[in-house]
Every structure is written in structure tokens, then in C-alpha cells.
Amino acid sequence: MNYLKIVREKQCFTKRDLADAVGVTERYISFIEQGKRTPSLEIAGKIASVLDNSVDNIFLPVKCTKSTLKDKEKSA
């Protein structure tokens, strides 16, 4: 899951507006929002820049903290 749709809508961008600004298709933006595609780091950076946000805030659903890292180590 990512927060692209939420951030995009808060910034009053349509999928078409964002796609045009980033240089991709509206369908590609839709696929990213649905989790069917993962953008390259370059495209993720362009999306974040256009939306005046960070790649982390948009594409990382869980922030890494010491406690989440410890939980992963326990389950491994």
C-alpha cells in the first residue's frame, strides 16, 4: 500500500495532471495507486517533487524505527 492517491487528492491533482507533470501515463499513475506497479526511484522522486512531499511519506506505509526493526529480527 502507498499513500499516493491520498497525497495527490490533498494537493488537488488529478491523475492526468500528475501524469503529465511527471512524464508518465495516467494509467501508470493508476497502477501505482492500486499497488499493481512499483515506480522506479527516479519516477518516485519526480512524483514526490511534483506533490511537494517525500518519497518516504508517499511510498513507505510503515516507517522504520528501532522497535519495528526489533520486531522483524524476532520474527526472522
Side-chain angles (χ1 to χ4, degrees):
M1 178 188 157
N2 64 60
Y3 297 106
L4 178 55
K5 183 176 181 179
I6 294 166
V7 173
R8 176 180 59 76
E9 289 177 343
K10 280 185 180 180
Q11 295 287 336
C12 298
F13 273 82
T14 65
K15 284 183 244 182
R16 167 64 57 206
D17 294 337
L18 181 58
D20 289 345
V22 173
V24 298
T25 65
E26 183 178 352
R27 184 173 178 166
Y28 187 66
I29 296 295
S30 183
F31 282 156
I32 294 170
E33 288 183 352
Q34 295 171 32
K36 293 180 178 180
R37 297 283 186 278
T38 301
S40 67
L41 189 54
E42 178 184 1
I43 296 297
K46 286 181 180 181
I47 290 170
S49 178
V50 168
L51 295 177
D52 194 30
N53 215 303
S54 72
V55 172
D56 289 354
N57 285 340
I58 297 171
F59 295 104
L60 293 179
V62 177
K63 304 294 183 225
C64 290
T65 63
K66 288 182 181 179
S67 63
T68 57
L69 291 175
K70 287 179 185 176
D71 291 342
K72 281 190 171 190
E73 289 172 357
K74 287 179 185 178
S75 64

